[in-house]
Every structure is written in C-alpha cells, then in structure tokens.
Amino acid sequence: MTPAAVCSPEAFAAHLEAHHRLVDEALRRWLPPPDETPARLHESMRYSVLAGGKRIRPILCLTAAAGFGGAGLAARVDEVILKIACALELLHTYSLIHDDLPALDNDDLRRGRPTNHKVFGEALAILAGDALLTLSFQWIADAAALGSPADRVVAMLACFARAVGHVGMIGGQVLDIEAEKRPIDLGHLREIHRRKTGALIGVSLEMGALAVGAPAADVQVMTECGAALGLLFQIVDDLLDVTGDTVALGKETGRDVRLGKATYPVLMGLEGSRSLAREARDQAIGALARASRPLPLLVAFADHLLARTT
Ligand code: IPE
Ligand code: IPE
Ligand code: MG
Ligand code: MG
Ligand code: MG
C-alpha cells in the first residue's frame, strides 16, 4: 500500500501545460504534410487533430509512463512514449469526427470550429477518420522500429485494439445510439459509458505503464484507475452538456436532451450525477494507492477531471 502522495495545484498545472505543448508539437511534426497527395485528405486530418482539444488521453499516457519510470529514460525512448501517446490522440480525434457525423450525433461545432464534415463534406470526414484510425496503429507499431521491445509493442497493440473496437469504444457508440429516446437503467448507462469513453481512457493509462515495462500488478492498477477515471470523465461530459458553456467547451451544449440521449443527469439529476462523479474520483484514487510507487500526478489528475469546466 502506497501512502497518499500530494502534488501542488501549481505543479500539476505546469505538468499539464508542458505535456500539452509536447503533444501538440509532436502531432504537428508527425502528421502527413498538408501539401502531400491526396492533399485534401491530409488537410482534413490535420484540421481536426490540430484544432485544439485538451489532449487528456496522451497526457494520461505520458503521466503513467513517467510515474512508472519513463521520465529519466533516454531521449530515444521518450520519443517512443510520445509517439504512443500521440497515437491515442489520433484515435480519439477520429472518434470525434465520426461521432459528429449526421448519421451519429449530427453536430456542427467541435473544438471551437465547424465540424469536419461541415468543412470537408461527409465523404472526406469519414475517410479522414478512417485514416486517423489506421495511422494510430501504425504509430504504435513504430515503437518497435524506435527501439521498444517487440513483445511490449504487441502487448500494447493487443490491448489498444480491444479497447477501441467492438468490445470497447465502437460497441459503446452503438449502445449509445440504441439507447436514444428509450428509458434505460443505471447499469445499462454505466456499461455504455464504460465502453464508449472509459475503454480509451483506461487503455491510455495501461499503455503508458506497458510502454516503460511496468510490472503486471501496476498495469492492473492502471486498468482499475482508468475504468474509474473513464466513468468520471463521461459523467462530467454529460453534466457539462447541461451546465457548461458552448464557447468554453468548443462544442454546442444541450445536444444530449435534444437527441434524447441516455445520460447521467437524465437518470440521476445534477446533484446525483455530481455525487457519482465524486465516487468515481474516490475509486480512481483508491486504485492508485495500490500501486507499487506513489503517483501524485495521477491523483491530481483525478481531481482535475472532477473539477474541469471545459
Ligand atoms: C469528448 O472528449 C468526447 C468524449 C469522449 C466525451 P474530450 O472532452 O476529451 O474532447 P477534446 O479532445 O478535449 O476535444
Ligand atoms: C463521444 O461521446 C464518445 C466518442 C466519441 C467515442 P459524446 O457524444 O458524449 O461526446 P461529445 O459530447 O459529442 O463530445
Ligand atoms: Mg455521441
Ligand atoms: Mg457527440
Ligand atoms: Mg457528450
């Protein structure tokens, strides 16, 4: 059992800012250049990835890697972890482009800009999403060429594929659509959230630990912490759709009610949802206490995800 470790709000804010910048610079550098054929596809990919975004998933991955020993490694290995972290952001951005399509949530605003299909048309938005999805696997595989042991890379690819496919994120997106305009119970809602959002957030932490060869017990702690943080993240996303600000969020609020989505505020009310979010935060911190070393930045992350307003 690891004693609770503390990270000051200033230190955490500096950590977030520095890693946000690192991820943004790497994405800009590694994405296909906008003038390379087919230019329109590359413009469309870059448009959504470089539009901003909080970069929560790559920063969680980098934080877990640093927590289990990645921070002091050679620059070459840090580049490996950064590429894996950026792969998570590619996958996430693809999921947003497709989530916004008229056939899904039919949204016009994302990351403070018109959605991808509004600018590039539906065909290109679908294909840019497909290209980001496949490129994310390529970037994880690149870790082997950059010096990461092959068995580690295979382990990361396997858990990533599982998290984002039919048993994970895509399955969750289907359950989300099927639950529209229908009464569902709390267990069902939890399952939707676990898959559509929790799986990718969970695997971001797991891959950070796997990338630096953390022991299996610590990877398991990341799995448990990730499940709680994922749930926390989506409860807050649901809350912000009701209480948040469109300009600050960069996406239109009030969409869930209009689309008849099954959400925590609909099922539990605002106070009930906030209380469940706090429980999820406590669970995440409880899991972190079972890690083999103190992880103060991840503890601070749990608080940050509970308090976020964007
Ligand atoms: C929004 O994710 C979609 C959900 C899974 C709820 P984020 O809130 O992380 O979106 P960006 O990346 O900051 O734009
Ligand atoms: C999106 O959930 C989940 C995925 C993209 C996998 P939401 O539909 O709630 O996300 P927002 O609110 O549009 O960002
Ligand atoms: Mg959706
Ligand atoms: Mg949506
Ligand atoms: Mg939402």
Side-chain angles (χ1 to χ4, degrees), residues 52-57 89 92-93 95-96 99 110-111 196-197 201 233-234 237 249 251 308 310:
K54 295 178 290 295
R55 313 303 194 202
I56 294 292
R57 294 147 192 85
E89 188 64 22
H92 168 59
T93 305
S95 83
L96 297 179
D99 182 71
R110 171 69 67 184
R111 294 179 162 172
K196 81 167 186 178
T197 303
I201 290 191
F233 190 85
Q234 186 65 46
D237 183 79
L249 286 168
K251 61 184 182 183
R308 77 186 173 100
T310 61

Side-chain angles (χ1 to χ4, degrees), residues 96 99-100 104-107 110 173 176 196 237 251 255-256 259 261:
L96 297 179
D99 182 71
D100 290 335
L104 281 93
D105 291 354
N106 193 19
D107 274 306
R110 171 69 67 184
Q173 286 287 66
D176 177 277
K196 81 167 186 178
D237 183 79
K251 61 184 182 183
R255 294 291 296 150
D256 290 340
L259 293 168
K261 292 281 188 190

Side-chain angles (χ1 to χ4, degrees), residues 30-269:
W30 283 327
L31 275 165
D35 50 359
E36 198 173 90
T37 307
R40 200 76 184 135
L41 172 66
H42 299 152
E43 276 171 38
S44 169
M45 292 162 76
R46 293 178 72 94
Y47 173 84
S48 289
V49 176
L50 302 177
K54 295 178 290 295
R55 313 303 194 202
I56 294 292
R57 294 147 192 85
I59 301 176
L60 278 173
C61 176
L62 293 168
T63 308
F68 290 112
L73 297 177
R76 190 170 162 76
V77 178
D78 287 342
E79 192 87 341
V80 171
I81 297 165
L82 187 56
K83 194 128 203 199
I84 289 160
C86 287
L88 291 158
E89 188 64 22
L90 294 190
L91 191 291
H92 168 59
T93 305
Y94 127 72
S95 83
L96 297 179
I97 296 173
H98 282 194
D99 182 71
D100 290 335
L101 286 168
L104 281 93
D105 291 354
N106 193 19
D107 274 306
D108 294 347
L109 188 69
R110 171 69 67 184
R111 294 179 162 172
R113 294 180 172 188
T115 42
N116 196 293
H117 64 271
K118 284 276 159 191
V119 176
F120 294 91
E122 269 186 68
L124 219 57
I126 291 168
L127 294 168
D130 292 341
L132 291 171
L133 161 62
T134 42
L135 188 58
S136 71
F137 280 83
Q138 188 185 319
W139 284 9
I140 298 168
D142 282 350
L146 289 166
S148 193
D151 57 344
R152 240 182 238 182
V153 178
V154 171
M156 285 189 281
L157 283 168
C159 68
F160 183 64
R162 204 178 145 72
V164 303
H166 68 108
V167 294
M169 190 186 83
I170 295 300
Q173 286 287 66
V174 173
L175 294 178
D176 177 277
I177 292 169
E178 286 179 351
E180 279 178 14
K181 302 187 183 79
R182 274 198 221 165
I184 63 166
D185 64 24
L186 195 57
H188 189 162
L189 183 63
R190 204 185 163 93
E191 178 65 4
I192 296 174
H193 282 36
R194 183 183 72 75
R195 289 184 178 217
K196 81 167 186 178
T197 303
L200 183 58
I201 290 191
V203 86
S204 302
L205 286 177
E206 281 174 54
M207 284 167 66
L210 285 170
V212 294
D218 282 326
V219 176
Q220 180 59 30
V221 164
M222 291 298 96
T223 309
E224 287 160 26
C225 173
L229 285 188
L231 181 65
L232 165 60
F233 190 85
Q234 186 65 46
I235 297 174
V236 173
D237 183 79
D238 286 359
L239 276 165
L240 290 174
D241 188 74
V242 181
T243 63
D245 175 68
T246 292
V247 174
L249 286 168
K251 61 184 182 183
E252 205 186 320
T253 53
R255 294 291 296 150
D256 290 340
V257 168
R258 236 164 293 147
L259 293 168
K261 292 281 188 190
T263 65
Y264 272 85
V266 165
L267 240 70
M268 306 294 295

